[in-house]
Amino acid sequence: MTSDTATQAQAHAQRNDAPAPEAEPTPWQRRLRRFGYADRPRATTAERLIAPFPEPGTRLWAALGLGPGTADRLVRWSGWGGPLLVALVAGLLRFWNLKSPNAVIFDETYYAKDAWSLLQYGYEGTWTDKANNAILAPHQTIPLSSDPSYVVHPPVGKWMIGIGEWLFGLNPFGWRFMVAVLGTLSVLMLCRIGRRLFRSTALGCLAGGLMTVDGLQFVMSRTALLDLVVMFWVLAAFGALLIDRDKARARLAAALPDTHAGLGARPWRIAAGVFLGLATATKWNGLYILLAFLVMTVLWDAGARRTAGARHPHRTALRKDAGWSFLALVPVAIVTYLLSWTGWFLTKKGYDRDWAAHRQGLSPDHILGIPLPQINMTWVPAALRSLWHYESQVYDFHVNLVSPHTYQSNPWSWLVLGRPVSYFYESPKLGQNGCTAAAGCAREVLGIGTPLLWWSACFALLYALYRWIFRRDWRAGAILCGVAAGYLPWFMYQQRTIFLFYAVVFLPFLCLALAMMLGAILGPRQATERRRMWGAVGAGTLVLLIVWNFIYFFPLYTGQTIPYSAWRARMWLDTWI
């Protein structure tokens, strides 16, 4: 919703919601006024429903010597110009030397090859044991057969990776290209989401800038894994729900004094359902976020109706809004998920594709490990029954994955970066791969967040919790919902083999929380110049330290050859080795 939309809605609503005449001040208020106290202007109901974007000032541009007309134009363009500039910086960093290291690193060995197989057959085929060497050889061969292979993740993320391979071939640049694109676009989205959430272009760009210099998002944007794809769709869904919230509240303000009015068509909520379906069709942890966002958007509707003056806002929201919210999110996400398997449906050779053909229409024998009675289900298409069986096998695999791994970590340690993941490591000797140190060198791609950013975000989460509980700040609640939905479900699987890089899904919400805390440090608009000056010094110092920290660890994010002593100096914790 633009500022113009908000203004029009407010004008319409104020005809039905004129402010009440000013009440006579109490004796206590009259006493306070003697000491300079002034009551805050009381906003109308419509103004509380619709928080307009404040008009940005031109003082900074005027101080730089620009004329009033030029300053006004820059201010008007800043809503998109600032985010695009931040995204440009993010893109330049992520695409710089993207093909390095020229190797199949970490789980790229699964997803890069599965993506290529999807392009060829529509399902995942089988590769020979030495396929990686054949792919990277000077005279490339692609040892792929059409025999189906058992894979444990849905296809959307691999299709996204496959787009880059279709454009540039089966090589490191090709299979990392689309992940870098999504990593860059996610920075742009976060800038715009932060702007809408905080009603501040500066804070929105700050949130996007923080994610630009986060090491985990940076590494994941340059590696063909699935988790950044999940993050992209989750962030897109959150942004769509924010737009839907603004538009719904504008419609409710226009309908005042009717607090039970229907909110009309909500296409942005349907778009969020599609995005969450795509997230779940990349990795199943998107399902938890779908459920959390469903609850969040219903609570947003209840809050809007409370602000409008509904006597029973939660009851009204459940009756008028909850059902439509469910239909716009859950069934849409399910349909999107099923459509993502189109390649598997259209072939007869995908793994377990013909499972139901040999069961005379019987139902699946279990779900989530629970045995089911065998009944006739010929009315359900055989392909769907086969997919059900396949997915039940995948579920069993995931919940029983307890094979120890060198870089696995418990979710309790994620926020403090207790155990990062080494995606690639070499130890070049003097004269090899640019090594100039007599004692030898190290070359590593380490999946770890920028430490000062993550450690500061721990305090930002506490601040957001305070804002949500004690100040009833819905923005803090939305941020915490995003973090909780992406983080807390992993505590149910602490015995499972899991890794720190799963946390990239809720990283954008950590950046929003940190931007919110930095905005509080900076101080409110009405604060004194002295307060704002010291706030700017404090917030600016922390941001500069985070940027420095990213630059310091940059060689470990990009696999550059550095002296072993320099690599060892960056191992701040023994658990990072």
Side-chain angles (χ1 to χ4, degrees):
M1 184 179 68
T2 63
S3 302
D4 292 340
T5 307
T7 304
Q8 292 168 5
Q10 283 179 310
H12 186 280
Q14 285 171 347
R15 292 196 293 269
N16 301 316
D17 189 38
E22 185 177 355
E24 194 69 25
T26 64
W28 177 248
Q29 287 174 325
R30 285 197 295 269
R31 191 173 297 115
L32 288 176
R33 288 177 180 178
R34 296 174 190 169
F35 296 94
Y37 170 81
D39 295 334
R40 291 183 179 180
R42 306 195 69 173
T44 65
T45 302
E47 289 169 339
R48 287 185 288 119
L49 278 171
I50 310 164
F53 286 93
E55 289 295 330
T58 59
R59 185 169 57 180
L60 172 63
W61 303 111
L64 295 175
L66 299 179
T70 303
D72 286 339
R73 283 192 295 274
L74 286 173
V75 164
R76 286 198 302 272
W77 295 342
S78 64
W80 273 104
L84 286 171
L85 182 60
V86 175
L88 175 63
V89 174
L92 291 174
L93 288 171
R94 279 147 184 77
F95 279 95
W96 175 80
N97 204 19
L98 182 61
K99 63 183 180 182
S100 177
N102 186 33
V104 181
I105 65 175
F106 201 60
D107 281 355
E108 286 185 339
T109 189
Y110 303 116
Y111 308 127
K113 291 185 292 189
D114 285 345
W116 184 262
S117 181
L118 286 174
L119 290 175
Q120 309 308 311
Y121 304 126
Y123 63 91
E124 292 86 348
T126 301
W127 298 80
T128 63
D129 291 340
K130 296 183 178 180
N132 292 349
N133 293 333
I135 291 169
L136 295 172
H139 301 287
Q140 184 185 67
T141 58
I142 301 178
L144 170 65
S145 77
S146 61
D147 296 333
S149 64
Y150 173 65
V151 296
V152 294
H153 290 299
V156 163
K158 290 169 280 189
W159 279 114
M160 300 297 292
I161 294 169
I163 294 173
E165 295 176 340
W166 175 67
L167 292 171
F168 301 104
L170 186 60
N171 55 68
F173 183 85
W175 62 64
R176 295 170 191 160
F177 174 80
M178 278 304 298
V179 186
V181 169
L182 297 183
T184 303
L185 290 178
S186 64
V187 170
L188 176 61
M189 282 198 300
L190 187 61
C191 290
R192 293 289 297 177
I193 286 169
R195 179 179 185 270
R196 182 174 292 273
L197 187 68
F198 301 127
R199 292 302 196 259
S200 167
T201 300
L203 288 183
C205 290
L206 176 59
L210 289 170
M211 194 160 75
T212 297
V213 295
D214 176 69
L216 184 61
Q217 204 269 1
F218 178 80
V219 171
M220 295 297 288
S221 297
R222 294 167 55 89
T223 312
L225 303 186
L226 302 181
D227 300 84
L228 186 125
V229 183
V230 178
M231 184 211 76
F232 176 83
W233 294 121
V234 168
L235 188 58
F238 184 75
L241 290 176
L242 273 182
I243 297 173
D244 172 75
R245 179 185 184 275
D246 281 352
K247 290 184 175 295
R249 292 173 75 93
R251 291 194 190 104
L252 191 56
L256 289 173
D258 182 6
T259 61
H260 293 73
L263 299 179
R266 304 180 71 166
W268 283 103
R269 186 171 283 181
I270 295 173
V274 172
F275 298 148
L276 291 168
L278 292 170
T280 307
T282 302
K283 289 186 78 172
W284 279 3
N285 53 324
L287 178 62
Y288 295 109
I289 297 163
L290 167 64
L291 299 177
F293 281 7
L294 172 62
V295 173
M296 179 182 71
T297 191
V298 173
L299 292 177
W300 281 354
D301 287 340
R305 294 191 181 276
R306 181 195 297 112
T307 302
R311 181 172 297 181
H312 303 290
H314 289 87
R315 188 186 307 171
T316 303
L318 287 174
R319 187 175 70 253
K320 301 286 290 187
D321 308 315
W324 294 112
S325 297
F326 178 86
L327 292 175
L329 293 178
V330 178
V332 170
I334 292 173
V335 171
T336 303
Y337 182 87
L338 292 175
L339 288 175
S340 74
W341 286 88
T342 298
W344 185 84
F345 284 131
L346 293 179
T347 182
K348 294 297 183 182
K349 295 191 66 175
Y351 188 86
D352 261 355
R353 175 63 181 81
D354 61 347
W355 175 85
H358 307 294
R359 292 180 56 83
Q360 290 126 14
L362 291 179
S363 64
D365 51 13
H366 72 281
I367 180 174
L368 306 183
I370 303 172
L372 296 175
Q374 299 293 283
I375 61 176
N376 189 296
M377 292 188 65
T378 53
W379 54 277
V380 177
L384 289 179
R385 285 184 279 125
S386 295
L387 182 62
W388 179 305
H389 175 72
Y390 186 5
E391 298 289 62
S392 67
Q393 288 183 295
V394 170
Y395 176 82
D396 291 341
F397 169 85
H398 283 304
V399 298
N400 294 306
L401 180 61
V402 293
S403 304
H405 193 284
T406 304
Y407 295 106
Q408 71 184 70
S409 59
N410 191 284
W412 287 106
S413 69
W414 288 358
L415 290 178
V416 294
L417 305 175
R419 181 60 171 163
V421 180
S422 180
Y423 292 169
F424 172 84
Y425 184 86
E426 286 183 347
S427 302
K429 304 299 182 183
L430 179 64
Q432 297 177 347
N433 293 330
C435 179
T436 58
C441 297
R443 186 181 180 214
E444 183 174 30
V445 176
L446 186 65
I448 184 173
T450 302
L452 291 185
L453 190 155
W454 282 70
W455 296 341
S456 300
C458 293
F459 294 98
L461 288 177
L462 294 176
Y463 174 70
L465 197 62
Y466 157 75
R467 293 285 308 183
W468 181 49
I469 294 176
F470 296 104
R471 302 295 295 273
R472 306 294 295 273
D473 191 332
W474 72 272
R475 303 168 303 171
I479 292 169
L480 291 171
C481 178
V483 174
Y487 184 31
L488 297 184
W490 291 111
F491 286 90
M492 298 188 293
Y493 307 103
Q494 294 186 58
Q495 302 305 315
R496 186 186 182 276
T497 307
I498 52 180
F499 302 92
L500 169 66
F501 63 80
Y502 295 173
V504 76
V505 174
F506 61 84
L507 169 64
F509 302 97
L510 296 183
C511 294
L512 288 171
L514 186 51
M516 189 178 190
M517 185 180 76
L518 289 169
I521 294 174
L522 181 61
R525 288 172 175 266
Q526 62 270 24
T528 63
E529 287 194 14
R530 181 180 178 84
R531 165 68 179 83
R532 295 274 286 184
M533 180 195 71
W534 285 112
V537 170
T541 300
L542 179 56
V543 171
L544 289 176
L545 286 173
I546 290 171
V547 173
W548 164 82
N549 203 204
F550 174 76
I551 295 171
Y552 180 69
F553 280 89
F554 192 77
L556 298 189
Y557 300 144
T558 53
Q560 296 182 40
T561 300
I562 57 176
Y564 181 81
S565 58
W567 174 86
R568 191 65 181 83
R570 288 165 171 79
M571 297 295 104
W572 287 0
L573 302 177
D574 289 340
T575 56
W576 292 4
I577 300 175

